[in-house]
Amino acid sequence: MPGRCWQAALDAVTIGSTPLVRLRRVVPDGAGEVWLKLESGNPTGSYKDRLAVAIVRGALERGDVHPGDRLVEYTGGSTGTALAHIAALVGLRFTAVSSDAFAPVKIRSMAAYGAEVLVEPSDGGAITPELIARLRERAYTLGAESGSWYTDQFGNADIRPGYAPMGAEVADVLGHRLDVVCAGVGTGGALMGALDGIDATGHRPDAVALEPTESPLLTTGTGGPHRVEGIAVGFVPPFLDRDRVTDIRTVDQADAMAMCRRLAAEEGLLCGPSTGLNVVAAIRLAGERGPGSVVATFGVDAGAKYLDGDLFA
Ligand SMILES: Cc1ncc(COP(=O)(O)O)c(C=O)c1O
């Protein structure tokens, strides 16, 4: 892509300003308000679009990459699809290191945007610390090759600022009424970046990080196999700032999946497992805090990409 045409291409992408909806039917009487920031409206259907545009814009502006170079990342597929989309837009190549543990449609989406997708086999579809480590090693190796650049979704300094508007948009609606923000943690970038955006408004709600009960690494030090794509990666992600997080809690993955089905049938919202997990925790927090309290969480991505599995079967 000649000159700085990539800048115009990035400026033209419409990311963010997503709806914030109040959940009503799945929230029991006597609980506080539960609000869900619906990130599925972003171009590739998840909040990862905010990350991808921030990473690529920063890298191009600094000259870390030039059109024609290759981005490399290991990804369950949401980050990869977002990176594949932005890479295609600005004339970069993209190699995703992924696995058959993640929804097949995510692999197909990355490939559809022109990405090279390397699929590592999992142990029966389970997301394990060993699998994540294997993906990471392969991505590190490829990212070190000439003309390649490892996007580093676990450490890239452009990520938290990229998510800050997501928090600011929540604060714009709920303002100082907001008591708690909760979210499942993969890289932790979305939760910590959103909190940056909220804190910048001068209001500091409590923050609760979440993980599946089946992989309680943050709460017990030991991870395990689980099925909640995108979170609980088997190590403590560097973005997670325990000083800013008030609490870390676990949610059973079966409860998260059941909530996905309730959200679809009762609220008309088709969501994926990590969103179901976020909502289960948000409802519990709103129950503990009681009437008048306000809890917000994130609808990470669109549920349609999980229709092939057993989530809605
Ligand atoms: C579906 C899904 N949910 C939740 C997350 C967690 O977001 P974060 O990595 O910002 O903590 C991810 C991240 O990959 C994801 O793909």
Side-chain angles (χ1 to χ4, degrees):
M1 185 166 286
R4 284 168 71 87
C5 283
W6 54 261
Q7 194 139 37
L10 290 181
D11 289 346
V13 191
T14 46
I15 292 173
S17 302
T18 52
L20 180 68
V21 297
R22 183 173 170 190
L23 302 180
R24 294 186 184 274
R25 295 187 188 86
V26 296
V27 180
D29 292 342
E33 297 174 21
V34 175
W35 292 79
L36 186 64
K37 180 83 169 145
L38 289 179
E39 288 288 303
S40 54
N42 286 310
T44 72
S46 84
Y47 63 35
K48 297 294 181 176
D49 288 318
R50 299 180 187 260
L51 163 149
V53 77
I55 286 180
V56 172
R57 187 189 291 280
L60 285 165
E61 278 174 359
R62 282 187 302 272
D64 294 339
V65 293
H66 302 90
D69 286 349
R70 175 176 75 156
L71 308 177
V72 179
E73 187 56 87
Y74 70 102
T75 165
S78 295
T79 297
T81 305
L83 282 169
H85 165 238
I86 296 295
L89 209 64
V90 299
L92 288 163
R93 293 173 296 130
F94 174 52
T95 295
V97 181
S98 194
S99 168
D100 60 9
F102 307 110
V105 71
K106 294 182 180 176
I107 310 279
R108 292 201 296 274
S109 301
M110 291 188 278
Y113 281 114
E116 176 189 30
V117 189
L118 306 174
V119 182
E120 286 281 325
S122 66
D123 183 5
I127 303 161
T128 61
E130 182 277 325
L131 174 66
I132 301 287
R134 190 151 35 95
L135 302 184
R136 185 171 58 234
E137 278 315 305
R138 195 160 177 199
Y140 279 171
T141 306
L142 293 171
E145 290 177 1
S146 159
S148 297
W149 190 72
Y150 175 53
T151 51
D152 192 10
Q153 63 163 318
F154 284 89
N156 190 308
D158 291 321
I159 291 177
R160 278 177 70 159
Y163 279 119
M166 186 168 77
E169 291 166 26
V170 172
D172 276 350
V173 177
L174 300 174
H176 287 225
R177 297 177 58 231
L178 180 60
D179 295 303
V180 194
V181 177
C182 67
V185 166
T187 69
L191 175 61
M192 301 315 306
L195 289 169
D196 292 340
I198 295 169
D199 293 351
T201 68
H203 177 57
R204 256 176 98 87
D206 288 344
V208 179
L210 309 170
E211 61 183 357
T213 313
E214 292 74 11
S215 184
L217 181 108
L218 302 177
T219 45
T220 70
T222 308
H226 70 93
R227 305 296 292 258
V228 188
E229 295 184 30
I231 67 169
V233 292
F235 57 90
V236 179
F239 287 138
L240 182 67
D241 176 0
R242 288 187 193 256
D243 290 337
R244 177 63 188 91
V245 167
T246 329
D247 197 5
I248 305 179
R249 296 194 177 190
T250 58
V251 174
D252 291 3
Q253 63 186 16
D255 292 344
M257 310 286 179
M259 181 54 70
C260 291
R261 294 186 280 273
R262 288 196 64 192
L263 285 169
E266 298 175 44
E267 302 275 356
L269 298 170
L270 199 60
C271 300
S274 60
T275 300
L277 184 135
N278 285 351
V279 171
V280 170
I283 291 171
R284 285 183 191 152
L285 287 159
E288 290 165 21
R289 305 259 171 152
S293 64
V294 176
V295 181
T297 192
F298 303 101
V300 179
D301 60 359
K305 65 177 92 156
Y306 304 97
L307 285 172
D308 279 347
D310 52 10
L311 180 58
F312 297 104

